[in-house]
Amino acid sequence: MSKFHVDQIETHIKTLYKAKLWKPGIDDVANLSRLLAYHAVQLLLGTGEDAERLIEITDGGHDEGIDAVGVDPAAKMVVFVQSKWRQDGKGSMQLGDVLKFLQGVKSILGMKGDEKPAHASEKTRAAVGALLTTPGAKIRLVTVTTASEPLADAVTAPIVELLGQLDDLEDTEPLAGHDHLAQANLFRAITDRQRTSINLNVQILDWGKAADPHRIFYGRVSAADIATWFTDHGADLFADNIRVVIPRSDINDGILKTVKGAPQLFMYYNNGITVLAETIAIAPGGTLNRDVGYFTLTGASIVNGAQTVSTLGSVKGTDAEQNLGQVSVMVRCIEVPKEQDDLAQQITRFANTQNEVSSQDFAFLDKEQHRLVRELEVIGYEYILRSAEVPRSKDPRRVIELRQAAVALACAAPNIGHAVLAKREVSRLFTDQSVYRALFNPSTDPIRLSRAVAIVSGVDGALDIVGNQTGGVYSGIAVHGRRVIAHLIMRALGDVLLADPQADFMKIERDVPAKASEHAAAIAKVFPSNAYPGNVFKNQSRVVALVAEAGLADKARR
């Protein structure tokens, strides 16, 4: 690579971003580094406009090595960038710069380090904290430079070490990854912006169509055909899918189990696939009836159902391949001309974010939940069982949602493992029947439930302030340790007091913020170095050891 390539990269990013991001009063190299950091976030998250996406350039004298932060709730991804502009295109990134970057990442993630807060706005830090409490969230560390040489082993080593610390939680998908974008990658991104066009020949059974406002064809497609799509094209099929292929073993196992055990029922269990295409042509023979239609999709991309497609593809070459011929999948094919890219992005977004029936919605069938609806109403609360239900009460303090109730009861439970589960995988409070029945049973008291919800809310409010106004491990504990802290507070109060209608609960509530801050501070003093709070508080044995070392063990019960 050469100075020519650096000049091309400079022209490209100036064309894209100079008008809105060039900062007066600093030199050209510093400005180009700013543009490069922003460009790196766009390369990772995609260039589509999204009102929920947040990108902040954080470079400056106190940036702690982080030059840009990107937060994308739809993609469930946080991106941290360090950028270095090398005008001559030579060399690589230096160890000292990368170590400073990693220290800044640790600070904003709430890990123990030099405790210097990262130079990011309160809004950005709050967005990072909120996203990292979302199941399935990912962290990408990005080093980007116009230098041509790869990172030296000594520079890569501390990055690998931090990734290991972030990914030390057993039996979970990797949380974090690293991308190094050097001169060659940046130049290739300019020349390879257009993805390879994929054309699919699709046979649709029992098909239907609509033409207004956009052409759509839908019906049943053989899983054998879909599996062939994947073996022929691989991940290129999902170029426009915000999720690509997420390695979810639980989903894979469900798909494979149905293919092997009940292939004829697959279509009834599966949500189907959505395919966008620049043009859709139907063969003349397919117009004679709706039994079978033959379609050619030009510029096709699967924007919803990547997990289904990739799993069906993995069946080829196995003993279960013979069952694919018995499996039908519902497929929607939507024609979106190339010039209507905004429409394609909207369809992609909503196809992946529309509400679905979650495990907690099935609790609506539980008679104990309806008992609690009645009993909570008597003491002045509206209990919302269904996720889409709109409360009648105008006072949000008098509304309790089912998920709130489950989390609060888990935190109030004698078993600290339930509080850990509320942090690690809240859906299991509903899917694990032993846990669900421990929380919701004939002895579940409406007063204790309502007070548990209030205490969890008080802890959240107090620790939101701590998390937004501090950095380092104290902030990390405030974000990720709040379920355990709520547990400690409620176990100190005891079940009898929580359920006692004569207890002075207003005084108890007033004391919650101070107690939450005290517990967070006590845990911060003994929190292990090089540990990510988001993982520690998802591991019961580590939590038990941590609260014991903090002198809080008498308030926790295994």
Side-chain angles (χ1 to χ4, degrees), residues 330-462:
M330 285 299 297
V331 175
R332 300 188 304 159
C333 304
I334 305 172
E335 185 176 77
V336 181
K338 199 169 187 177
E339 61 272 15
Q340 297 185 20
D341 188 56
D342 288 348
L343 173 63
Q345 291 181 16
Q346 289 300 311
I347 293 173
T348 301
R349 167 166 297 284
F350 289 117
N352 285 282
T353 57
Q354 291 292 330
N355 289 333
E356 59 186 38
V357 177
S358 66
S359 55
Q360 74 180 58
D361 289 318
F362 291 103
F364 181 78
L365 304 175
D366 182 4
K367 65 180 182 180
E368 293 300 333
Q369 297 293 351
H370 291 275
R371 171 184 66 82
L372 289 169
V373 168
R374 297 188 297 271
E375 293 180 357
L376 284 165
E377 185 176 14
V378 170
I379 59 174
Y381 290 92
E382 184 179 0
Y383 188 36
I384 304 296
L385 295 184
R386 291 174 289 193
S387 54
E389 194 171 349
V390 178
R392 298 184 304 274
S393 175
K394 303 300 182 184
D395 184 355
R397 296 171 301 178
R398 311 304 293 181
V399 176
I400 298 174
E401 297 182 355
L402 174 60
R403 182 187 177 96
Q404 279 182 291
V407 169
L409 290 174
C411 293
N415 185 347
I416 196 172
H418 292 163
V420 173
L421 194 59
K423 164 63 181 172
R424 175 171 179 151
E425 195 175 356
V426 70
S427 63
R428 283 188 57 198
L429 300 181
F430 299 93
T431 58
D432 187 326
Q433 284 300 297
S434 64
V435 176
Y436 177 80
R437 286 303 171 199
L439 305 181
F440 297 104
N441 54 66
S443 64
T444 302
D445 183 84
I447 294 177
R448 177 175 175 271
L449 186 157
S450 65
R451 290 178 173 177
V453 168
I455 289 173
V456 168
S457 178
V459 170
D460 286 348

Side-chain angles (χ1 to χ4, degrees), residues 194-496:
Q194 299 301 318
R195 67 179 175 85
T196 302
S197 180
I198 290 177
N199 301 328
L200 297 176
N201 294 315
V202 184
Q203 176 181 294
I204 305 181
L205 306 177
D206 302 320
W207 63 278
K209 68 174 184 176
D212 186 23
H214 305 285
R215 295 178 77 210
I216 179 173
F217 300 89
Y218 52 89
R220 296 186 293 120
V221 175
S222 169
D225 292 345
I226 293 171
T228 300
W229 298 351
F230 187 73
T231 55
D232 288 348
H233 302 288
D236 287 344
L237 283 168
F238 317 122
D240 292 333
N241 190 323
I242 63 174
R243 292 178 180 164
V244 195
V245 182
I246 303 172
R248 288 283 304 279
S249 59
D250 55 337
I251 296 175
N252 291 348
D253 291 346
I255 292 172
L256 291 173
K257 183 177 180 181
T258 305
V259 170
K260 294 175 181 178
Q264 70 281 4
L265 296 178
F266 187 93
M267 185 176 67
Y268 302 96
Y269 297 161
N270 186 263
N271 289 332
I273 297 166
T274 301
V275 187
L276 302 189
E278 293 170 7
T279 63
I280 300 177
I282 181 170
T287 61
L288 299 177
N289 60 61
R290 296 296 178 87
D291 293 338
V292 59
Y294 299 91
F295 302 83
T296 298
L297 278 59
T298 303
S301 179
I302 294 171
V303 299
N304 183 251
Q307 200 72 45
T308 296
V309 175
S310 61
T311 305
L312 292 176
S314 72
V315 173
K316 296 199 72 172
T318 71
D319 293 340
E321 182 176 358
Q322 61 184 350
N323 287 6
L324 290 176
Q326 304 175 54
V327 174
S328 292
V329 182
M330 285 299 297
V331 175
R332 300 188 304 159
C333 304
I334 305 172
E335 185 176 77
V336 181
K338 199 169 187 177
E339 61 272 15
Q340 297 185 20
D341 188 56
D342 288 348
L343 173 63
Q345 291 181 16
Q346 289 300 311
I347 293 173
T348 301
R349 167 166 297 284
F350 289 117
N352 285 282
T353 57
Q354 291 292 330
N355 289 333
E356 59 186 38
V357 177
S358 66
S359 55
Q360 74 180 58
D361 289 318
F362 291 103
F364 181 78
L365 304 175
D366 182 4
K367 65 180 182 180
E368 293 300 333
Q369 297 293 351
H370 291 275
R371 171 184 66 82
L372 289 169
V373 168
R374 297 188 297 271
E375 293 180 357
L376 284 165
E377 185 176 14
V378 170
I379 59 174
Y381 290 92
E382 184 179 0
Y383 188 36
I384 304 296
L385 295 184
R386 291 174 289 193
S387 54
E389 194 171 349
V390 178
R392 298 184 304 274
S393 175
K394 303 300 182 184
D395 184 355
R397 296 171 301 178
R398 311 304 293 181
V399 176
I400 298 174
E401 297 182 355
L402 174 60
R403 182 187 177 96
Q404 279 182 291
V407 169
L409 290 174
C411 293
N415 185 347
I416 196 172
H418 292 163
V420 173
L421 194 59
K423 164 63 181 172
R424 175 171 179 151
E425 195 175 356
V426 70
S427 63
R428 283 188 57 198
L429 300 181
F430 299 93
T431 58
D432 187 326
Q433 284 300 297
S434 64
V435 176
Y436 177 80
R437 286 303 171 199
L439 305 181
F440 297 104
N441 54 66
S443 64
T444 302
D445 183 84
I447 294 177
R448 177 175 175 271
L449 186 157
S450 65
R451 290 178 173 177
V453 168
I455 289 173
V456 168
S457 178
V459 170
D460 286 348
L463 296 184
D464 279 344
I465 296 172
V466 171
N468 291 339
Q469 294 183 351
T470 63
V473 69
Y474 194 20
S475 173
I477 291 167
V479 172
H480 298 288
R482 55 185 59 190
R483 300 296 174 239
V484 168
I485 289 172
H487 167 82
L488 296 173
I489 291 172
M490 284 192 273
R491 295 320 301 164
L493 292 170
D495 290 333
V496 174

Side-chain angles (χ1 to χ4, degrees), residues 136-178:
K138 303 294 181 186
I139 299 168
R140 301 301 294 187
L141 309 183
V142 180
T143 47
V144 58
T145 180
T146 51
S148 57
E149 297 298 321
L151 295 178
D153 291 344
V155 177
T156 302
I159 298 174
V160 173
E161 182 181 2
L162 178 58
L163 295 180
Q165 294 164 5
L166 293 172
D167 290 332
D168 70 347
L169 194 62
E170 295 180 359
D171 302 322
T172 61
E173 303 162 28
L175 168 69
H178 169 243

